[in-house]
Amino acid sequence: REHSSALNQLAGEPPAVLRSPGEIVDDFTASTANGEPVGRDRLDAPTIVGFLSPTCGPCREQLPAFVARAGQAPSGRTLAVVVGSGPAADDLATELADRLGDGSVVQEPPGGPVATAFGVDGYPAFALVGPGGRIEAGGFDLATIPVLVAA
């Protein structure tokens, strides 16, 4: 994967870290930090989704911007997915739940249902998902994702 990523960068193409814009997210079922079920049907209005790993330096670098972006978005229009297990993943999930609310955070192991549904292949990964689970924008840089602003 690293070799392919390096070749893509040399060719001027950013590496794909999740499904492409226009694709539909697969159905999935997961639970948020407060036990609320979440699936593709929750993505019925534009939603920012971020996939973060506790062992990922770039994830930590973009975390403040992700939290700020979530603060600008309408309530319930952000979903953070912490990928990993163990104390570091638990701490990151707790930090995000404290900042975003328990209903906006999912913690799952690598290869979990949400990351699989989005086709995540690297971290961080961010997406703007529109009605019906259609990816409108996505990539490893949060700056490429349009800002959602609460009315």
Side-chain angles (χ1 to χ4, degrees), residues 39-61:
R40 187 178 71 189
D41 59 338
R42 174 179 169 177
L43 309 176
D44 58 351
T47 303
I48 298 170
V49 182
F51 294 88
L52 306 158
S53 169
T55 59
C56 163
C59 294
R60 280 285 176 195
E61 291 171 11

Side-chain angles (χ1 to χ4, degrees), residues 2-145:
E2 290 175 11
H3 179 69
S4 295
S5 175
L7 289 175
N8 286 339
Q9 287 177 343
L10 288 174
E13 300 172 24
V17 293
L18 51 78
R19 294 187 187 283
S20 299
E23 290 188 56
I24 304 290
V25 174
D26 291 341
D27 285 327
F28 64 90
T29 301
S31 295
T32 62
N34 65 0
E36 177 184 328
V38 62
R40 187 178 71 189
D41 59 338
R42 174 179 169 177
L43 309 176
D44 58 351
T47 303
I48 298 170
V49 182
F51 294 88
L52 306 158
S53 169
T55 59
C56 163
C59 294
R60 280 285 176 195
E61 291 171 11
Q62 293 196 64
L63 185 62
F66 179 70
V67 170
R69 182 78 63 93
Q72 295 174 314
S75 178
R77 299 290 100 201
T78 304
L79 182 63
V81 182
V82 175
V83 180
S85 57
D90 294 345
D91 290 347
L92 180 56
T94 298
E95 177 183 350
L96 284 165
D98 289 346
R99 295 171 140 188
L100 306 178
D102 289 343
S104 296
V105 180
V106 170
Q107 183 177 352
E108 65 182 22
V114 186
T116 298
F118 277 78
V120 173
D121 190 30
Y123 305 102
F126 301 100
L128 175 62
V129 182
R134 181 177 306 277
I135 295 179
E136 296 180 3
F140 65 90
D141 186 356
L142 184 60
T144 64
I145 306 299

